[in-house]
């Protein structure tokens, strides 16, 4: 009786193995395929998200550059600037340029400063922007920038060219990066009606606006 039960149990186990093992293999294969498909699907989703993010970033950067180019064109084509370049010793013309820079900076709220640097590397006009307010820099506080890399690059430019600097990081006293004061500099050469270079326009664009 015991032997008969053992034989029956053995047959049951044998049948179980014969039936279950193939099923188990099939399930494992299907599970592997499912997991692989899910992984590939996740990769696709991530790739699509990355593509969408890249498109957004590219669109944002393009809009920023178009805006800066527009501001630069307004300044370059203005009567105020052209008169200043022609007769920069006239105080009235200088004040008109300062007023224009102040209006652009206050309205846009995108710049750390807008400047004119002459061929000798000295700032002739500088308007800073803090807390949404324009602050023209006094003559006594204007600085020499002739040893700065962006000035040297700007002096190489021909008409209708523009130099875009790397990100200039600003640090506090502890060496921590202050993004709110970090800038990307846009350098546009200035030429008079005789095609003589008369310095450069420097737009110090606040880097934090790239994240907005």
């Amino acid at each position: 009786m015991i032997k008969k039960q053992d034989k029956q149990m053995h047959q049951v186990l044998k049948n179980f193995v014969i039936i279950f093992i193939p099923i188990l293999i099939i399930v494992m294969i299907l599970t592997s395929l499912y997991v692989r498909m899910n992984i590939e699907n996740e990769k696709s989703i991530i790739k699509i998200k990355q593509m969408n993010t890249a498109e957004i970033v590219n669109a944002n950067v393009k809009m920023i550059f178009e805006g800066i180019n527009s501001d630069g064109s307004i300044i370059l084509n203005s009567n105020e600037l052209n008169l200043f370049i022609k007769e920069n010793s006239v105080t009235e013309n200088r004040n008109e340029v300062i007023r224009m820079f102040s209006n652009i900076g206050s309205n846009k709220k995108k710049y750390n400063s807008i400047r004119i640097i002459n061929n000798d590397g000295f700032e002739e006009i500088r308007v800073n922007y803090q807390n949404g307010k324009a602050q023209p820099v006094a003559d006594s506080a204007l600085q020499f920038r002739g040893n700065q890399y962006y000035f040297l690059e700007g002096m190489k430019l021909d008409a209708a060219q523009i130099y875009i600097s790397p990100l200039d990081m600003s640090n506090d006293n502890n060496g921590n990066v202050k993004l709110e004061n970090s800038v990307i500099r846009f350098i546009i050469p200035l030429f008079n009606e005789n095609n003589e270079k008369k310095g450069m326009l420097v737009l110090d664009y606040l880097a934090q606006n790239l994240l907005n």
Side-chain angles (χ1 to χ4, degrees):
M1 183 71 178
I2 295 175
K3 288 184 179 181
K4 186 177 180 179
Q5 288 178 343
D6 289 341
K7 287 182 179 180
Q8 289 176 341
M9 180 61 68
H10 180 74
Q11 187 63 40
V12 169
L13 289 173
K14 185 178 179 180
N15 293 338
F16 176 79
V17 169
I18 292 172
I19 297 173
F20 178 76
I21 293 300
I23 293 175
L24 179 61
I25 292 173
I26 293 171
V27 169
M28 290 176 66
I29 292 172
L30 291 175
T31 302
S32 176
L33 290 173
Y34 176 77
V35 170
R36 184 175 298 176
M37 289 174 62
N38 269 352
I39 291 173
E40 292 300 323
N41 187 47
E42 287 295 327
K43 287 181 180 178
S44 299
I45 292 172
I46 292 171
K47 186 176 181 180
I48 291 170
K49 286 181 178 179
Q50 288 174 339
M51 289 175 61
N52 289 338
T53 301
E55 289 173 0
I56 291 170
V57 170
N58 287 336
N60 191 34
V61 170
K62 184 179 179 181
M63 288 178 61
I64 288 169
F65 285 1
E66 287 177 350
I68 295 170
N69 184 59
S70 175
D71 293 340
S73 296
I74 290 172
I75 294 172
L76 290 181
N77 294 320
S78 67
N79 290 328
E80 293 91 338
L81 183 69
N82 289 321
L83 287 173
F84 176 77
I85 292 174
K86 186 178 181 180
E87 305 176 43
N88 60 2
S89 61
V90 179
T91 302
E92 181 180 352
N93 293 340
R94 185 175 186 278
N95 289 338
E96 287 298 320
V97 173
I98 291 174
R99 188 176 296 110
M100 176 177 58
F101 285 3
S102 298
N103 289 336
I104 289 175
S106 298
N107 291 333
K108 297 289 185 175
K109 296 180 172 58
K110 299 289 186 180
Y111 299 104
N112 183 63
S113 66
I114 299 180
R115 298 177 282 164
I116 290 178
I117 300 178
N118 64 26
N119 289 339
D120 295 323
F122 289 94
E123 293 177 335
E124 290 195 346
I125 294 177
R126 177 173 183 143
V127 178
N128 295 332
Y129 307 97
Q130 294 182 352
N131 301 320
K133 295 182 180 180
Q135 297 180 343
V137 175
D139 291 354
S140 58
L142 295 174
Q143 299 180 16
F144 175 70
R145 300 297 185 184
N147 56 353
Q148 298 296 314
Y149 75 91
Y150 57 84
F151 171 79
L152 299 175
E153 292 296 332
M155 289 302 295
K156 300 175 185 177
L157 298 175
D158 293 324
Q161 292 185 323
I162 184 171
Y163 172 73
I164 303 175
S165 79
L167 176 63
D168 274 355
M169 305 300 291
S170 175
N171 300 315
D172 59 21
N173 295 331
N174 296 320
N176 299 315
V177 174
K178 296 176 64 178
L179 184 60
E180 63 270 19
N181 292 329
S182 299
V183 299
I184 297 175
R185 306 183 195 280
F186 292 78
I187 316 298
I188 304 173
L190 302 177
F191 289 86
N192 64 13
E193 57 189 4
N194 297 320
N195 201 33
E196 299 169 331
K197 183 175 284 188
K198 305 296 288 185
M200 63 193 70
L201 172 68
V202 182
L203 301 166
D204 294 323
Y205 187 85
L206 289 167
Q208 65 180 0
N209 293 312
L210 296 172
L211 305 178
N212 295 338

